[in-house]
Amino acid sequence: MIGVAILFIVLGILIKYGKMYWLIAGYNTMPKEDKEKYNIEGIANVFRNVMFGMALIIIIGYFIAKLTENPDIQNYAFWTSMIFGIPYLLIESNSKKYRKKQK
């Protein structure tokens, strides 16, 4: 599970700081004129923050599972991060707040 957390951290860094926006599904297939309608920097911030948050939940769950010697906690933390993180990421990144105002 720590590997998944590391993957999320790496993806968050690549999308935000590496400007690898092609990793964002849907954005990479948009025509250029449609891409210009979106604040990709804001969307990249959302992706970074959500990926880091999900990774943090997984890592905390891992350490609590080790401390309590209860491996179920690690699974609960992983699935909690997925159940809340993915819908939040989809809803927030598709909100109108990241659409540029048309002149």
Side-chain angles (χ1 to χ4, degrees):
M1 295 282 179
I2 291 294
V4 174
I6 292 169
L7 176 65
F8 286 160
I9 291 169
V10 169
L11 286 173
I13 290 169
L14 290 175
I15 290 171
K16 172 63 182 162
Y17 302 110
K19 300 191 185 301
M20 293 188 175
Y21 305 137
W22 55 269
L23 290 171
I24 300 173
Y27 184 78
N28 60 341
T29 59
M30 281 183 186
K32 185 173 180 168
E33 53 273 3
D34 286 346
K35 287 181 181 180
E36 292 171 359
K37 296 177 184 176
Y38 290 90
N39 174 5
I40 192 62
E41 290 292 325
I43 294 171
N45 280 336
V46 171
F47 268 78
R48 180 203 56 203
N49 293 343
V50 172
M51 293 290 179
F52 283 11
M54 290 170 63
L56 182 65
I57 292 169
I58 292 169
I59 291 168
I60 289 170
Y62 171 81
F63 284 115
I64 292 174
K66 291 294 179 192
L67 286 171
T68 61
E69 297 178 1
N70 183 354
D72 290 338
I73 293 173
Q74 183 176 359
N75 290 328
Y76 297 146
F78 173 80
W79 288 110
T80 299
S81 73
M82 295 295 127
I83 289 169
F84 289 103
I86 292 172
Y88 178 79
L89 179 64
L90 294 172
I91 292 167
E92 184 67 19
S93 65
N94 286 301
S95 71
K96 292 183 180 191
K97 137 168 66 169
Y98 298 107
R99 291 193 184 137
K100 294 180 182 174
K101 295 192 189 308
Q102 300 300 315
K103 295 180 182 179

